[in-house]
Amino acid sequence: MPTFRENLTLLREGVHRIGAGAALRTALYRPRRAWWQWRYRAQKQKVFGAGLPTDFFASNAALASVGGVVDVRVIEQGVALLCEHGYAALEAVTPHIIRLRMAPSEPLPPYFSYATLFEKRPTEVAIEVGDEHIILATAALRAEVRRTPFGLRLTDADGQALIGDIVEVQWRREGGSVLHQELPDWVQLYGLGERACIMACRGQHFHLTTMDPESYHLGADPLYMNIPFLIALGAGRFTGLFFDSSYSGEIDLGVNRADYLEYQTTGPELRIDFVAGPGGDDLLEHYTELTGRMNLPPLWTLGYHQSRWSYESAPIVREIAREMRARRIPCDAIHLDIDYMDGFRCFTWHPERFPDPRGLIADLHAQDFKVVAIIDPGIKVDPDYPVCADGVEKDVFCKLPDGALFHGPVWPGECYFPDFTSPRVRAWWGAWHRGLVEDGVDGFWNDMNEPAIFGGSTFPDAVQHELEGRGGDHREAHSVYGMQMVRASYEGLNQLRPGRRNWVFTRSGYAGVQRYGSSWTGDNFSSWDHLRLTPAMLLNLGMSGLSFTGADVGGFTGAPTPELYARWVSMAAFTPFYRTHTAKHTPSQEPWSFGPEVERIARKYIEWRYRLLPYLYTAFWQCSVRGLPIMRPMIFEDPHNAVYHLLDDQWLLGDHLLVAPVLLPDSEHRHVFLPRGAWRDFWTDELRVGPDDFTRPAALDVVPLYVRAGAVIPLGPVRQATAQPVDALELHLYLGEGESWFYEDDGETLDYRKGAYRLTRFELRRDRESLLLSRTIRGDFAPDYARFRIHLHGAEIVRVEVDDQPLVGAAQGFECPRDGWNAIKIIFAQS
């Protein structure tokens, strides 16, 4: 293996050769590729060969069945199964999760997963070993193994089937496995992370890996994220199947056979975690207990973000900030794409375009703007570049099997790539953020981390990785590379800014990435198809555990029409991540770029985004403590309603707000589906009782919104940024009965983990012509505002009593102090 000095010498000698052109680069790489291929074959035999005796396979057969179960052993919280051609373990992970692991031979490898927080937790189980079946049961799930041939049926505790039976598992001659599972006609499928398709996944085929598609259209596959968590909905019950393998794979959801699911993985082990519901909220709570939940982000990240590739100089950035404030368009963050760097070198500033970054950022901070900077994984091969030289010296870059440093072309030219699967390397990477942090950069944007190399390529399989000390190659590391990059960034920022909520968002990731950062849906197009696609993509991501996500408003590639931008910027106000972004060489895409009418519409909905922040922040809190999606599909509201199974262009934002945007061109109407119960039009207060569907007029400046009766919706004032003070909040009471939550903290520090939060539970109860608002409060946080203004929707206020004491002169918008009361009784006249 080359030493540091030898690598540095090769680096210095190679700087000139790297620039000599593609022909020389190909010639230099060709002999090494042959070496990689030889080592790849040897390593593949080492990984898979011992478990695949030749007698597994019939002559020339590509697949071999595991056969039947020939022996059973009771193990901790489960059973071990010796099959004719393989070995399996069926274990209870929690009362709501049962795990199946299978390998060609005994023993199974030690349990490891980048996705999960723990292997298993103490769980009571019941085990039955019979002549034909073996049963493992918990309080919520029951797995019944068929002995001959091996098969598995999953039911709830009452024996009701949750999805079809696993009917066959096969080993592939070249390594890996294939699973066949029945798909009853009463099952619909969702999830699987980031998919450029409608929300309902049945009848589609997907690759389970990460890739930079360099922009994508409807049906493109794969994309940047790989979250192999499939959700089955049948007979009103939700069940999750987590195919936990970072190796590449495929899943066929009824294309080859309409009544079968087929899952393939190239990894040495087949692993599935079966996750119980029965409700959608229950399922996400159980799944994110296993894979982790997002940390509460800083409040400013919920505001509006303005970006493009690129605001190429400090004067341009200043002008964007000036226009935002002059036009009174609220904005919390301005993003800097790759052109802020010196030659696209990470952790640098361009000396001419950004000569005084600290001064620039200080000025932006004085105007209540945050600054977000992009960082890619590629480190330019340049011995005079301190990050590169330090990385070579510290031995942090990915290598080939012969010990040479792997390099490939991205934005700076030829680059080395840190091995983020090493704790030591992650710490090194995190520490290099110090300079940008000291300059004042507030948030970070991890891009190109699929990992992507120019030409639609990625790392060769033979590239070596530490994999937390286990050792291995890029076949196992590929899908988790981006996740481990954002982990390194996040953990490094936590070291540099302890006690503060640090925020990173990433283009690529694997299951569990929500523990470290948020995301966006990458390089979309400025088209109506992509506007229509956005809610479905965000809903499936949220159901896959990654809820803080959004799409580039207006589209990244191309140029939106004024109508398209107006519809997009208004819709996106009701999605978790709210950012306008566009590509180099496209027209301006700031809110004022499309004329006065569109600017007015953009301002209106950005202002409403800020007014809704108290309500929206509560939905983020719910996601952080229970894993509930911020955007919730209609199937969560009524899983028995067959119409909702395919409905992915309207959603619930939090508990009580239904969003039904217009997503088609030249349309001023929207067909809306209301669930059971009473709902009020957010804009007009018109009452409707569901279940109902109807067509609502929706001019260019209208997003149809409906509020559940019995809700309490907290609203803030219009502010230009979240850092600006609030003197009063509004509580909007929607006539009816119900429960609502309102979460508050300082929005910036980690003090909420020590009790510095305020959690209010509101309850509305109606008794004929009176409405009682009661509340209970937990936590020690004292908000800055001193009072509430209270509005009642659906009736006129006649008089008010606060804790049984009359409030003189009460009317719509009456005020009461923030503290010092438990219940407010409103006597009303029906409007």
Side-chain angles (χ1 to χ4, degrees), residues 594-655:
F594 303 91
E597 181 187 12
V598 175
E599 179 180 346
R600 177 186 62 80
I601 294 169
R603 182 184 298 105
K604 170 184 173 179
Y605 281 95
I606 295 172
E607 287 179 348
W608 271 110
R609 170 71 168 213
Y610 280 76
R611 293 210 64 198
L612 280 163
L613 282 178
Y615 173 82
L616 185 61
Y617 192 56
T618 300
F620 271 70
W621 165 77
Q622 290 175 317
C623 184
S624 74
V625 297
R626 289 193 60 203
L628 297 183
I630 298 159
M631 283 177 67
R632 301 171 194 169
M634 299 302 295
I635 51 174
F636 276 36
E637 184 72 14
D638 184 358
H640 294 280
N641 189 325
V643 172
Y644 293 173
H645 292 183
L646 301 177
L647 186 60
D648 57 12
D649 62 352
Q650 68 173 61
W651 61 92
L652 287 167
L653 184 66
D655 290 335

Side-chain angles (χ1 to χ4, degrees), residues 80 421 426 666 682:
T421 70
R426 290 196 295 270
D666 304 317
F682 185 83

Side-chain angles (χ1 to χ4, degrees), residues 48-181:
F48 298 109
L52 297 175
T54 55
D55 61 1
F56 271 25
F57 299 92
S59 177
N60 298 321
L63 298 169
S65 173
V66 301
V69 177
V70 297
D71 193 17
V72 181
R73 221 170 44 238
V74 175
I75 59 176
E76 183 184 10
Q77 296 184 190
V79 290
L81 310 173
L82 180 63
C83 301
E84 293 175 273
H85 297 143
Y87 179 76
L90 191 67
E91 301 171 279
V93 178
T94 73
H96 303 97
I97 302 173
I98 288 177
R99 175 174 295 142
L100 173 67
R101 300 179 66 194
M102 302 187 75
S105 63
E106 189 177 4
L108 289 168
Y111 179 82
F112 177 83
S113 173
Y114 276 111
T116 63
L117 293 173
F118 55 87
E119 182 174 357
K120 57 189 173 185
R121 288 180 171 163
T123 302
E124 290 188 10
V125 300
I127 297 171
E128 299 178 26
V129 179
D131 293 337
E132 297 182 358
H133 298 91
I134 302 108
I135 297 172
L136 172 66
T138 70
L141 285 174
R142 185 174 183 269
E144 179 180 311
V145 175
R146 182 184 64 200
R147 279 182 175 265
T148 307
F150 173 86
L152 187 144
R153 172 172 295 172
L154 188 73
T155 73
D156 64 15
D158 296 325
Q160 297 297 309
L162 297 174
I163 191 172
D165 295 355
I166 294 174
V167 295
E168 186 176 27
V169 175
Q170 299 170 301
W171 306 118
R172 301 172 2 140
R173 183 183 290 272
E174 69 271 25
S177 55
V178 182
L179 173 144
H180 300 272
Q181 185 168 5

Side-chain angles (χ1 to χ4, degrees), residues 321-477:
R322 189 194 68 79
E323 289 284 352
M324 282 287 180
R325 294 296 182 247
R327 295 173 183 268
R328 305 295 293 171
I329 298 174
C331 180
D332 258 275
I334 296 175
H335 290 221
L336 304 180
D337 212 318
I338 55 176
D339 293 285
Y340 80 87
M341 303 177 192
D342 182 8
F344 308 124
R345 293 168 176 83
C346 293
F347 308 113
T348 68
W349 294 94
H350 195 286
E352 296 174 0
R353 297 190 186 123
F354 291 86
D356 180 18
R358 288 195 184 189
L360 170 66
I361 295 174
D363 289 347
L364 292 172
H365 285 170
Q367 300 171 70
D368 294 323
F369 288 102
K370 306 294 185 184
V371 174
V372 178
I374 195 170
I375 294 287
D376 293 343
I379 299 300
K380 183 175 177 62
V381 177
D382 177 356
D384 297 321
Y385 169 32
V387 181
C388 178
D390 186 54
V392 172
E393 180 179 5
K394 300 287 177 54
D395 190 23
V396 303
F397 297 124
C398 294
K399 296 177 181 177
L400 302 171
D402 63 0
L405 297 179
F406 167 71
H407 56 93
V410 282
W411 293 111
E414 289 295 323
C415 286
Y416 295 142
F417 298 87
D419 178 9
F420 294 115
T421 70
S422 163
R424 179 180 60 82
V425 176
R426 290 196 295 270
W428 173 87
W429 176 261
W432 267 103
H433 288 73
R434 180 177 297 278
L436 295 179
V437 167
E438 290 176 349
D439 289 336
V441 174
D442 300 281
F444 289 88
W445 164 15
N446 286 177
D447 200 18
M448 299 290 287
N449 54 350
E450 290 71 29
I453 293 176
F454 280 176
S457 183
T458 187
F459 297 2
D461 286 345
V463 166
Q464 302 295 290
H465 293 273
E466 186 173 313
L467 292 166
E468 314 306 315
R470 298 177 303 112
D473 62 31
H474 196 65
R475 290 172 301 159
E476 182 177 359

Side-chain angles (χ1 to χ4, degrees), residues 676-691:
R676 293 188 188 93
W679 298 79
R680 288 195 177 272
D681 188 303
F682 185 83
W683 308 113
T684 69
D685 263 352
E686 178 189 5
L687 176 67
R688 285 188 173 270
V689 178

